[in-house]
Amino acid sequence: NGVITKGNNDKIATLMDLLLQEFAEKKPYMESAALHYAGQLGIELARRIDESLQGLENPAQFREISPAIFYISNFYNTDFTVEQLAQLCSLSVASFRRAFVAATGETPFNYLYQVRIKTAISLLKESDFSISEIAGLVGYNSLSSFNRHFAKFMGVPPRAIRQEQKIKNNRE
């Protein structure tokens, strides 16, 4: 869903921490160590993608659109067009749309909205950001648009998730 935390992937999070630490400390052989960690990170991310392909009816189709999936997962909070995504995959817009729906069962923008909403849920549960701030962080320019999409995908408004988390935290 584009969100990597220590909770859902310890090894990737640890490698990211080590990579960032190398850049921060600037010790001798930093470049070699950083390349090593970046290589390991690339391998772990590739393994994660392969795991996510298991059980798909047509993994080749998913691989065809994987540059767009990667882009959406990393830049979900920015504005982009279907044309840009199709270009990343070296496909025409029509071919890209067909391949995307065949591989994911969703249109590119419904997929984007789901990534944004899943990220927002994590932020609602794990941060003190206001709902308005979260809307902006995940790429919505207006709170009403965020609330509408959130309710469409989750069946409840964002404040319900936040309240549910507060109740759960109070019980613990």
Side-chain angles (χ1 to χ4, degrees), residues 53-65:
L53 293 176
Q54 290 177 358
L56 290 178
E57 287 181 28
N58 193 348
Q61 216 158 20
F62 185 84
R63 281 192 177 90
E64 185 176 41
I65 62 153

Side-chain angles (χ1 to χ4, degrees), residues 98-148:
R98 276 192 303 276
F100 200 96
V101 170
T104 66
E106 297 289 341
T107 66
F109 282 106
N110 272 349
Y111 185 86
L112 167 65
Y113 298 144
Q114 288 179 14
V115 169
R116 286 178 172 179
I117 298 305
K118 287 177 183 178
T119 305
I121 289 169
S122 293
L123 290 169
L124 285 164
K125 290 180 176 181
E126 299 171 10
S127 78
D128 292 328
F129 291 122
S130 71
I131 292 173
S132 180
E133 288 171 318
I134 290 171
L137 288 171
V138 298
Y140 286 91
N141 295 324
S142 78
L143 183 58
S144 63
S145 200
F146 172 68
N147 285 330
R148 186 175 57 255

Side-chain angles (χ1 to χ4, degrees), residues 4-6 12 19 28 38 57 95 113 132 134 136 146 148 150 152-153 165 167-169:
I4 297 174
T5 63
K6 286 188 179 185
I12 289 175
L19 184 60
E57 287 181 28
S95 294
Y113 298 144
S132 180
I134 290 171
F146 172 68
R148 186 175 57 255
F150 197 97
K152 176 183 174 187
F153 286 102
Q165 187 63 37
I167 291 168
K168 184 179 175 185
N169 290 345

